[in-house]
Amino acid sequence: QVQLQESGGGSVQAGGSLSLSCTASRTYHTYCMSWFHEAPGKEREGVAAIDNDGNTRYADSVKGRFTISQDNAKNTLYLQMNSLKPEDTGIYYCAAEMGAECRYYSDWHSLLATSGYWGKGTQVTVSS
């Protein structure tokens, strides 16, 4: 079993920045860890992902604004969010799929369906 705990959400004005963290109780040698965003009344969508080799993937909507990174020694995943927009508002979830790198998932839908471990989420609110 793997427990994930997010932190770092909050409220910020448009154009501001927030940094999210996700600490895992353990990781495997091979994994794909990701951040998903659930806006009010909308489906959960992939934002960014990183695997054990450091390969990253971003949704088009956040490219150039968000950066995913990890500290393997701390089993911690990060999401640096800059130039935030009101549409970035919502709950951000940390997810993990152990045993496979991110490249095995062709799209965000498959990663959403396959990720076996989820955090409880952290709220991000961006005001205009």
Side-chain angles (χ1 to χ4, degrees), residues 7-126:
S7 61
S11 298
V12 66
Q13 289 191 329
S17 299
L18 283 173
S19 181
L20 306 183
S21 299
C22 170
T23 300
S25 58
R26 61 167 295 187
T27 59
Y28 290 45
H29 177 73
T30 304
Y31 60 81
C32 177
M33 295 192 71
S34 53
W35 290 98
F36 282 80
H37 169 225
E38 188 171 309
K42 296 188 177 181
E43 294 184 350
R44 197 170 298 186
E45 297 181 336
V47 172
I50 190 168
D51 62 25
N52 49 283
D53 284 337
N55 299 304
T56 58
R57 177 191 299 180
Y58 294 94
D60 289 341
S61 59
V62 306
K63 284 181 181 177
R65 300 191 298 123
F66 290 11
T67 302
I68 190 171
S69 61
Q70 60 189 346
D71 185 333
N72 292 330
K74 297 181 179 180
N75 284 351
T76 301
L77 180 73
Y78 302 99
L79 185 68
Q80 178 64 41
M81 305 186 293
N82 299 328
S83 301
L84 283 161
K85 304 176 181 180
E87 52 263 43
D88 295 321
T89 293
I91 301 174
Y92 284 76
Y93 295 91
C94 173
E97 174 58 13
M98 301 300 176
E101 297 172 349
C102 298
R103 60 190 175 95
Y104 288 108
Y105 305 99
S106 58
D107 54 36
W108 292 110
H109 291 291
S110 59
L111 188 57
L112 172 65
T114 307
S115 291
Y117 304 100
W118 291 85
K120 294 182 178 180
T122 185
Q123 176 71 43
V124 170
T125 302
V126 184

